[in-house]
Amino acid sequence: MIELRPHQKDALRKMHNGCVLYGGTGSGKGYTTLYYYIQNESPKTLIVITTPRKRDDRDWEHEAESLKIFPRAKYSKHGALIVDSWHNVKKYVDREGCFFIFDEQRAVGRGVWAKSFIKIAKKNNWILS
């Protein structure tokens, strides 16, 4: 398993459902949020909403796989992993009892993404990173 760096461990101790994890590129927000999921939300289905590029490059899958989190629940040590883009966030508004990681925050304004985020946040635990 990947060992968190001291600043990630500090952030993890302070995190809670509905928080915003702030950090620059390369600061380790991905692993920190995945550890939060493992410690607090597993075995719920984990849904990561990110940019199309990160979805297509499988960035989240690679990090999750190193922690034994896989798309198919029967292979996962934790819940099933779904990674999708903000362009498809509306597909998840009826999901309940899942854990969401909203990556590359796009939940601002009054558009479809913001409205979808609010609907999802009311029925699920989540972290914004």
Side-chain angles (χ1 to χ4, degrees):
M1 210 147 119
I2 304 297
E3 181 71 23
L4 293 180
R5 296 178 296 213
H7 73 277
Q8 291 170 300
K9 290 177 182 177
D10 185 47
L12 185 60
R13 281 190 293 276
K14 296 174 183 175
M15 290 172 69
H16 56 84
N17 178 51
C19 77
V20 176
L21 179 60
Y22 178 78
T25 302
S27 63
K29 294 184 304 290
Y31 280 117
T32 306
T33 55
L34 290 171
Y35 266 85
Y36 179 86
Y37 162 75
I38 289 168
Q39 291 180 1
N40 299 285
E41 302 292 338
S42 177
K44 292 179 181 176
T45 297
L46 172 60
I47 302 174
V48 179
I49 304 297
T50 190
T51 63
R53 181 179 178 155
K54 282 188 174 181
R55 177 202 58 205
D56 297 345
D57 288 348
R58 300 188 67 232
D59 289 354
W60 278 97
E61 281 95 337
H62 295 302
E63 288 187 7
E65 286 171 4
S66 69
L67 300 174
K68 308 291 187 229
I69 304 168
F70 297 100
R72 296 185 64 193
K74 72 179 188 177
Y75 299 117
S76 185
K77 184 177 177 184
H78 307 284
L81 171 68
I82 298 169
V83 179
D84 210 340
S85 76
W86 278 98
H87 296 287
N88 298 321
V89 69
K90 191 174 181 180
K91 292 186 340 187
Y92 302 96
V93 297
D94 293 326
R95 291 286 190 125
E96 288 187 48
C98 299
F99 182 70
F100 281 79
I101 297 173
F102 294 99
D103 182 35
E104 302 291 339
Q105 195 273 112
R106 303 285 194 265
V108 296
R110 298 180 188 172
V112 173
W113 295 351
K115 290 176 184 174
S116 297
F117 169 78
I118 291 168
K119 289 177 184 175
I120 292 167
K122 287 180 179 180
K123 297 185 261 183
N124 298 279
N125 289 347
W126 55 274
I127 296 290
L128 205 87
S129 73

